[in-house]
């Protein structure tokens, strides 16, 4: 506001927005801790096993959320993530089956090196994302519609692939991708890469610029259409990665895998302060949002709250996060 | 039977309308952040007259009309309708109190029929409370017969031409039987025969006692249809006269009466070779056969009224919306400019008209705003930005342009309009342009920042940058330009040299 321009001497020390979200995380954790002692007579946080399970649970969707974060910063939305998980799970697993299994999908293609199912799976996700991006950038249809179409189509593909039959018995090297804490490490690696990309590269600057004002971005010489395709392609790629990890961990692939993952990933990003109107948000914020999400789910289970209540409360939290975002936007408009 | 008291009341109202007019505006003031749009303006509309409202772009005509139509609320002043003070809380409120407006932008629902559009919210109902489509069509036909409009009431609006849509808008406004009818540039989209038709309708309404406010830029229309006219200038009231008492030159003088001050320090500098040449640039229906040359170190001012399509020409040259025919030559060589990126490769930069819509990234910080254009071209290795160098360049440029901000991490939405504008200029200067297109470089910013920007532009010209400057402010155009190109409705209507140009000559070319 005006104070900023009239007092040039003192640069305002502003806490990053992530600090607020971190406070929310701490607050929620403390509430569960207190409720834990009251109702269960035990600590919620003082249980390393519970915490590691929680992190493991959210990491797979967290990988998707890293891509979804970028799509939302760009001013879009991706509803196809969960279906892309299903499609890539099926394809990857069909190429990752062990030779010792006598009813493999492709009997001639068993015991392949782990790189084959991984690369093919990633390519499928990349392709799905590029189709999303191209539809949005060049036909100008709303992202909601384009990715809704992909959501339905990719799920259909997953079901058609084996006519609904699950695929099992992966090679040990493929199964290793989902073993133990590997999914968490994969998530951290992905998060680190895109944290750096959003902050220090042209790729990131373009993403924020297009999300903040696509017309201004275009006039500034940015190829807006091309960048939109890129971001959706990355989102598709990361959904595929999540699909590979989840199927490796489960040792089986089913056409129904990943249902609702897109909404959980969007929720993590929104809880983490990524603005649905575009232009604002960080990977760090989404990571905190992801942990908040995990704490809530794990906390309710810990309190033995019925699963139905859990879903209803989850819905309320997502809406609350968006209301908070809209409220922030309103304050901004008033200032301007 | 009318009782004596009622008769007396009716008489009082009639008297008041005689003295105050059907609509009277007094002391209206309206301020937007950073801009005083209207300052103590007045207007009086007598029943059964057509009152033209005249003024340059930004004179405050449309703002006042939006206040009268209930879209904006005034900060001060009063509105008297039929002699009674009223507050108009919303467009619906204004409509219900007897004020209709035909908007400049057509506001019809494309996927509904003509009849549905006209009677929306007032649909005739049958005995079951459901909409009676038959009666609605008949009512529409009656209305059209009265206005002599030949259109099918059941046609879908999306299938109509712009002129037909305009007629539907007019019929809709008339159907409210309002006492006051506001028309904001009603003829901008229609042909001459349709204008005649419109005037017949207007004369008919006038005969019925309706007070009509008619906003126009076209002088000949003013003399053909208006009884009285009021001129605004820079948000202030200038005067009201009978149309019969004045001529065209009087009105232009009232409209442009501003004094040229020494705010615009254009210094003489050597003018070099032709850098940019435009030949017969055309987008059918938008602008036609635009040709001009721009030289090194020259400032070419581009003047014209709203609807002259000046900005469209600039957008075509910069590749935002490329032209469909015509040629652009840079240093004498023809080039194909298909996108802003290509334009930048040829050394062009384009400061757009609307800072908020197409310029700033409001939610991002100053540094990000300044560096956007630069990093599309240089200072990037393997995708990574050489942030140290870019930040240094940005800081130097911000300091040189005297952008007032505590630091470059400040969000741009917290800056004043003038500083936002300087930031955008900084963005473009970092790309070291040879050709700079400025669209309204000082719109909506305060006087101090304005003269700083003018000094800056002059400095750039002295360094040899070729500058095309679009401006609606005649003193700015006159003070800054070496030459002035004037546009009128998508055509170049003339060039004026610095030595011969004055406000009256420009308006003469711009207003036809």
């Amino acid at each position: 506001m005006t104070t900023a321009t009239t007092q040039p001497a003192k640069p305002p020390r502003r806490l990053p927005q992530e600090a607020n979200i971190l406070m929310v995380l701490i607050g929620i954790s403390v509430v569960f801790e207190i409720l834990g002692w009251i109702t269960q007579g035990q600590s919620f946080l003082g249980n390393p096993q519970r915490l590691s399970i929680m992190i493991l649970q959210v990491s797979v969707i967290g990988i998707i959320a890293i891509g979804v974060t970028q799509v939302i910063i760009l001013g879009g939305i991706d509803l196809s993530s969960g279906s892309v998980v299903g499609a890539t799970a099926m394809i990857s697993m069909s190429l990752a089956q062990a030779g010792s299994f006598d009813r493999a999908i492709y009997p001639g293609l068993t015991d392949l090196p782990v790189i084959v199912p991984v690369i093919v799976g990633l390519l499928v996700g990349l392709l799905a994302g590029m189709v999303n991006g191209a539809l949005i950038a060049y036909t100008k249809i709303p992202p909601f519609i384009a990715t809704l179409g992909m959501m339905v189509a990719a799920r259909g593909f997953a079901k058609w692939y084996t006519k609904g039959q699950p695929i099992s018995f992966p090679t040990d090297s493929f199964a290793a991708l989902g073993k133990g804490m590997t999914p968490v490490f994969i998530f951290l690696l992905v998060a680190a890469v895109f944290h750096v990309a959003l902050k220090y590269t042209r790729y990131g600057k373009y993403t924020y610029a297009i999300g903040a004002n696509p017309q201004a971005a275009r006039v500034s010489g940015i190829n807006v259409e091309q960048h939109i395709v890129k971001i959706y392609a990355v989102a598709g790629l990361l959904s595929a990665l999540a699909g590979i990890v989840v199927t490796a961990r489960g040792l089986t692939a089913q056409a129904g895998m990943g249902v609702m993952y897109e909404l959980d990933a969007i929720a993590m990003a929104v809880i983490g302060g990524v603005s649905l109107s575009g232009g604002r948000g960080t990977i760090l914020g989404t990571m905190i949002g992801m942990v908040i999400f995990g704490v809530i789910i794990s906390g309710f289970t810990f309190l033995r709250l019925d699963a139905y209540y859990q879903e209803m409360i989850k819905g309320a939290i997502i809406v609350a996060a968006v209301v908070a975002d809209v409220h922030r936007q309103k304050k901004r408009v008033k200032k301007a | 039977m009318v009782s004596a008291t009622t008769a007396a009341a009716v008489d009082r109202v009639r008297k008041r309308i005689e003295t105050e007019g059907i609509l009277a505006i007094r002391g209206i003031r309206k301020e937007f952040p950073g801009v005083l749009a209207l300052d103590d303006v007045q207007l009086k509309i007598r029943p059964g007259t057509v009152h033209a409202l005249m003024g340059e772009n930004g004179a405050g005509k449309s703002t006042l009309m939006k206040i009268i139509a209930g879209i904006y609320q005034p900060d001060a002043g009063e509105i008297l309708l039929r002699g009674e003070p009223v507050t108009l809380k919303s467009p619906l409120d204004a409509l219900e109190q007897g004020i209709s407006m035909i908007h400049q932008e057509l506001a019809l629902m494309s996927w509904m029929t003509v009849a549905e559009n006209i009677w929306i919210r007032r649909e005739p109902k049958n005995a079951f409370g459901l909409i009676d489509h038959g009666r609605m069509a008949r009512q529409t036909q009656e209305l059209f017969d009265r206005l002599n409009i030949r259109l099918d009431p059941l046609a879908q609006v999306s299938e109509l031409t712009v002129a037909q849509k305009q007629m539907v808008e007019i019929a809709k406004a008339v159907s409210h039987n309002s006492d006051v009818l506001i028309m904001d540039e009603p003829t901008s989209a229609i042909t001459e025969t349709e204008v005649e038709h419109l005037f017949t309708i207007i004369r008919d309404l006038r005969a019925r006692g309706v007070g009509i406010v008619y906003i126009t830029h076209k002088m000949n229309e003013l003399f053909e249809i208006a009884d009285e006219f009021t001129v605004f200038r820079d948000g202030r009231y200038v005067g009201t006269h009978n149309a019969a008492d004045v001529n065209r030159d009087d009105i232009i003088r009232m409209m442009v009466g501003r004094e040229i001050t020494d705010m615009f320090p254009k210094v003489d500098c050597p003018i070099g070779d032709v850098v940019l040449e435009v030949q017969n640039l055309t987008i059918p229906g938008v602008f036609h056969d635009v040709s001009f040359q721009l030289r090194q170190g020259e400032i070419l001012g581009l003047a014209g009224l709203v609807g002259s399509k000046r900005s469209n020409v600039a957008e075509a040259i910069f590749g935002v919306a490329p032209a469909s025919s015509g040629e652009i030559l840079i240093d004498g060589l023809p080039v194909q400019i298909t996108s802003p990126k290509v334009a930048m490769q040829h050394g062009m930069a384009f400061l757009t008209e609307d800072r908020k819509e197409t310029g700033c990234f409001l939610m991002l910080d100053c540094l990000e705003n300044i560096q956007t254009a630069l990093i599309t071209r240089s200072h990037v290795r393997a995708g990574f930005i050489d942030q140290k160098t870019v930040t240094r360049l940005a800081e130097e440029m911000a300091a040189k342009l005297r952008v007032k901000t505590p630091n470059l991490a400040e969000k741009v939405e917290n800056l004043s309009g003038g500083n936002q504008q300087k930031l955008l200029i900084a963005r473009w200067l970092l790309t070291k342009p040879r050709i700079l297109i400025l669209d309204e470089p000082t719109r909506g910013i305060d006087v101090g920042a304005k003269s700083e920007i003018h000094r800056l532009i002059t400095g750039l010209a002295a360094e040899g940058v070729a500058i095309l400057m679009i401006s609606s402010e005649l003193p700015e155009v006159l003070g800054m330009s070496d030459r002035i190109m004037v546009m009128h409705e998508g055509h170049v209507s003339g060039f004026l040299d610095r030595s011969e140009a004055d406000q009256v000559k420009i308006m003469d070319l711009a207003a036809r």
Side-chain angles (χ1 to χ4, degrees):
Chain A
M1 268 171 281
T2 45
T3 49
T5 48
T6 48
Q7 303 174 332
K10 203 179 77 193
R13 271 205 61 79
R14 228 183 262 125
L15 281 171
Q17 209 206 335
E18 286 89 357
N20 294 330
I21 307 161
L22 203 58
M23 293 305 292
V24 173
L25 172 60
I26 293 169
I28 291 176
S29 305
V30 168
V31 168
F32 278 120
E33 182 68 22
I34 294 168
L35 287 176
W37 283 110
I38 295 171
T39 63
Q40 312 293 319
Q42 54 167 310
S43 169
F44 172 62
L45 296 170
N47 185 335
Q49 204 197 339
R50 172 161 36 245
L51 296 187
S52 68
I53 290 174
M54 178 200 87
I55 291 298
L56 198 55
Q57 273 178 341
V58 290
S59 281
V60 171
I61 299 180
I63 295 171
I64 300 172
I66 298 299
V68 164
T69 298
Q70 300 174 59
V71 167
I72 299 178
I73 291 173
L74 189 77
I77 195 93
D78 188 354
L79 299 180
S80 67
S81 325
S83 297
V84 171
V85 164
T88 46
M90 297 299 279
I91 290 181
S92 302
M93 187 56 95
S94 72
L95 294 171
Q97 286 176 299
S100 53
F101 180 52
D102 56 0
R103 295 207 312 276
I105 300 285
Y106 303 116
L109 292 174
T110 52
D111 282 331
L112 295 173
V114 65
I115 193 79
V116 176
V118 170
I119 293 290
V120 173
L122 292 179
L123 284 177
V124 169
L126 191 73
L127 182 73
M130 283 171 74
V131 170
N132 280 337
L135 277 173
I136 293 157
Y138 297 107
T139 70
K140 312 280 175 207
I141 60 175
F144 185 91
I145 299 302
T147 59
L148 184 73
M150 183 57 73
M151 172 184 172
V152 177
R155 184 65 67 196
F157 173 85
K159 289 177 186 162
W160 164 84
Y161 194 63
T162 58
K163 310 291 181 289
Q165 294 303 307
I167 312 174
S168 312
F169 292 98
T171 57
D172 289 343
S173 50
F174 187 78
L177 292 173
K179 249 198 189 114
M181 295 303 270
T182 312
V184 180
F185 294 128
I186 292 176
F187 164 75
L188 288 174
L189 183 70
V190 165
V193 166
F194 285 100
H195 170 75
V196 171
L198 282 189
K199 240 184 150 146
Y200 302 104
T201 71
R202 183 149 73 177
Y203 167 91
K205 299 296 170 192
Y206 282 11
T207 309
Y208 284 103
I210 294 170
N213 190 339
Q215 295 182 62
R218 191 165 139 68
V219 175
S220 300
I222 296 174
N223 189 334
V224 175
E225 286 75 22
Q226 193 186 315
H227 198 72
I228 289 175
V229 175
K230 234 183 248 179
I231 294 290
Y232 279 92
V234 164
L237 187 78
L238 293 182
S239 297
L241 183 59
I244 292 166
V245 171
V246 77
T247 191
R249 183 166 191 84
L251 302 176
T252 181
Q254 291 173 14
M257 270 174 146
V259 170
M260 295 283 274
Y261 278 18
E262 60 279 338
L263 295 184
D264 288 352
I266 293 167
M268 287 174 184
V270 172
I271 293 171
V274 182
S275 170
L276 280 174
S277 44
R280 282 143 66 96
T282 59
I283 296 295
L284 229 49
T286 296
M287 288 172 77
I288 302 172
M290 177 189 98
V291 178
I292 292 177
F293 196 84
V295 165
I296 291 170
I297 301 295
S298 152
F300 285 152
T301 312
F302 164 65
L303 296 177
R304 296 174 209 277
L305 196 70
D306 196 284
Y308 303 116
Y309 291 124
Q310 286 190 24
E311 298 230 327
M312 287 187 243
I313 293 171
K314 210 162 92 180
I317 288 167
I318 295 168
V319 173
V322 178
V323 170
D325 175 46
V326 169
H327 182 69
R328 278 197 297 270
Q329 300 290 333
K330 258 196 202 144
K331 273 206 304 208
R332 278 193 37 245
V333 170
K334 261 186 204 147
K335 270 197 303 188
Chain B
M1 281 313 302
V2 181
S3 74
T5 47
T6 321
V10 167
D11 211 43
R12 262 206 312 283
V13 169
R14 191 178 305 134
K15 277 240 171 60
R16 243 184 278 136
I17 291 176
E18 256 166 46
T19 54
E20 301 289 353
I22 187 94
L23 178 74
I25 304 294
R26 285 190 200 139
I28 290 281
R29 180 188 162 87
K30 178 72 188 174
E31 203 175 343
F32 293 108
V35 193
L36 185 56
L38 290 173
D39 188 12
D40 192 23
V41 299
Q42 50 174 298
L43 182 68
K44 190 162 98 180
I45 311 297
R46 292 185 293 116
T49 61
V50 176
H51 196 117
L53 195 54
M54 311 285 295
E56 285 183 309
N57 304 335
K61 302 168 305 226
S62 289
T63 306
L64 181 62
M65 289 311 106
K66 285 182 176 162
I67 287 174
I68 296 174
I71 298 167
Y72 295 153
Q73 306 306 312
D75 298 331
E78 59 174 354
I79 302 171
L80 278 75
L81 189 60
R82 294 177 215 92
E84 302 276 359
V86 289
T87 49
L88 303 163
K89 291 187 284 288
S90 67
L92 181 60
D93 192 23
L95 203 55
E96 283 174 345
Q97 300 201 43
I99 300 171
S100 310
M101 177 160 176
I102 299 168
H103 293 271
Q104 217 169 335
E105 311 86 34
L106 298 172
L108 296 172
M109 293 150 283
S110 298
W111 307 108
M112 296 172 80
T113 64
V114 169
E116 282 169 332
N117 265 280
I118 292 177
W119 302 106
I120 184 93
R121 213 179 47 78
R122 305 173 291 157
E123 297 87 352
K125 306 268 170 67
N126 64 17
F128 303 104
L130 301 174
I131 293 172
D132 185 343
H133 283 97
R135 189 141 65 93
M136 189 154 78
R138 281 196 300 282
Q139 281 181 8
T140 311
Q141 196 55 56
E142 282 163 24
L143 180 69
F144 283 180
D145 287 346
R146 177 153 78 90
L147 300 174
N148 202 14
I149 294 173
R150 251 161 288 155
L151 264 181
D152 178 4
L154 297 180
Q156 191 166 296
V157 165
S158 61
E159 287 162 9
L160 305 184
T161 65
V162 176
Q164 286 172 326
K165 286 181 192 169
Q166 184 76 60
M167 288 327 238
V168 174
E169 278 270 11
I170 291 164
K172 181 179 174 182
V174 171
S175 75
H176 282 95
N177 292 319
S178 302
D179 294 335
V180 178
L181 184 59
I182 302 166
M183 298 188 173
D184 193 355
E185 301 260 4
T187 57
S188 58
I190 63 181
T191 65
E192 235 147 85
T193 46
E194 288 152 343
V195 171
E196 268 319 307
H197 186 181
L198 174 66
F199 284 178
T200 315
I201 294 174
I202 291 177
R203 289 192 188 100
D204 176 53
L205 292 169
R206 174 166 64 186
R208 291 164 194 262
V210 177
I212 295 159
V213 190
Y214 191 95
I215 298 182
T216 184
H217 282 304
K218 299 175 185 168
M219 293 286 171
N220 49 358
E221 284 181 10
L222 166 74
F223 288 109
E224 189 172 345
I225 194 77
D227 303 300
E228 288 179 302
F229 71 94
T230 292
V231 175
F232 281 5
R233 189 170 64 221
D234 297 336
R236 285 167 208 270
Y237 172 81
V238 177
T240 301
H241 296 277
N242 277 323
D245 300 343
V246 290
N247 63 27
R248 183 188 159 89
D249 286 353
D250 297 330
I251 297 172
I252 288 182
R253 221 166 291 130
M254 286 176 78
M255 283 166 67
V256 299
R258 260 179 299 179
E259 295 304 311
I260 299 172
T261 60
D262 53 2
M263 261 175 57
F264 312 98
K266 164 69 183 170
V267 289
D268 276 326
C269 59
I271 289 175
D273 297 333
V274 173
V275 188
L276 172 72
E277 184 168 357
V278 170
Q279 290 174 351
N280 301 321
L281 213 59
T282 300
I283 296 180
V286 183
F287 57 82
H288 300 268
D289 289 324
V290 173
S291 304
F292 65 87
Q293 292 186 332
L294 181 63
R295 292 168 179 275
Q296 206 178 9
E298 183 187 37
I299 299 179
L300 175 64
L302 177 44
L305 297 166
V306 168
S308 60
K309 309 295 180 195
R310 296 167 301 176
S311 299
N312 300 71
V313 172
E315 284 175 2
I317 296 171
F318 198 68
V320 178
S324 33
S325 65
E327 266 204 289
I328 298 171
L329 292 86
I330 289 176
D331 298 327
L333 299 171
V335 290
Q336 291 296 326
I337 296 176
T338 49
S339 74
K341 198 172 179 166
V342 177
M344 286 164 66
Q345 282 159 3
H346 289 295
M348 284 200 226
F350 178 31
L351 184 75
T352 53
E353 178 183 11
D354 194 320
R355 208 164 41 240
K356 292 212 163 85
E357 285 294 313
T358 54
C360 289
F361 304 104
L362 285 172
M363 55 182 84
L364 304 184
D365 66 29
C366 295
L367 178 63
E368 308 242 23
N369 269 275
I370 295 181
Q371 73 184 15
T372 328
L374 181 66
I375 63 169
T376 62
R377 314 191 46 201
S378 57
H379 297 90
V380 177
R381 188 171 295 168
F384 283 84
I385 296 164
D386 178 5
Q387 197 62 61
K388 236 166 97 185
T389 314
V390 171
T391 305
R392 184 173 51 77
L393 291 173
E395 277 169 351
E396 283 169 10
M397 191 56 82
K400 190 177 157 203
L401 268 55
R402 284 186 260 176
V403 178
K404 286 197 205 84
T405 171
N407 55 53
L408 291 186
E410 188 66 32
K411 294 258 187 289
V412 166
E413 61 196 1
N414 296 336
L415 265 57
S416 70
N419 280 309
Q420 289 178 351
Q421 194 74 336
K422 285 188 202 166
L423 215 60
L424 292 178
I425 296 176
R427 176 193 293 172
W428 287 116
L429 293 191
L430 279 183
T431 67
K432 301 201 174 65
R434 296 165 45 219
I435 302 164
L436 182 57
I437 306 173
L438 303 168
D439 197 350
E440 303 285 1
T442 64
R443 172 178 286 176
I445 66 181
D446 63 77
V447 180
K450 215 169 190 165
S451 65
E452 275 190 62
I453 287 176
H454 288 144
R455 200 168 302 129
L456 196 76
I457 295 172
T458 302
L460 289 169
E463 287 168 25
V465 178
I467 296 170
L468 175 66
M469 184 187 76
I470 301 176
S471 174
S472 292
E473 288 187 42
L474 293 185
E476 179 171 88
V477 173
L478 286 164
M480 297 288 299
S481 315
D482 294 299
R483 261 185 329 138
I484 297 161
M485 173 162 96
V486 186
M487 285 186 67
H488 170 73
E489 295 189 349
H491 293 269
V492 177
S493 52
F495 286 89
L496 294 165
D497 216 60
R498 182 181 181 78
S499 52
E500 55 168 342
D502 62 33
Q503 303 200 29
V504 175
K505 279 186 189 146
I506 294 178
M507 279 309 277
D508 203 50
L509 286 169
R512 292 279 136 163

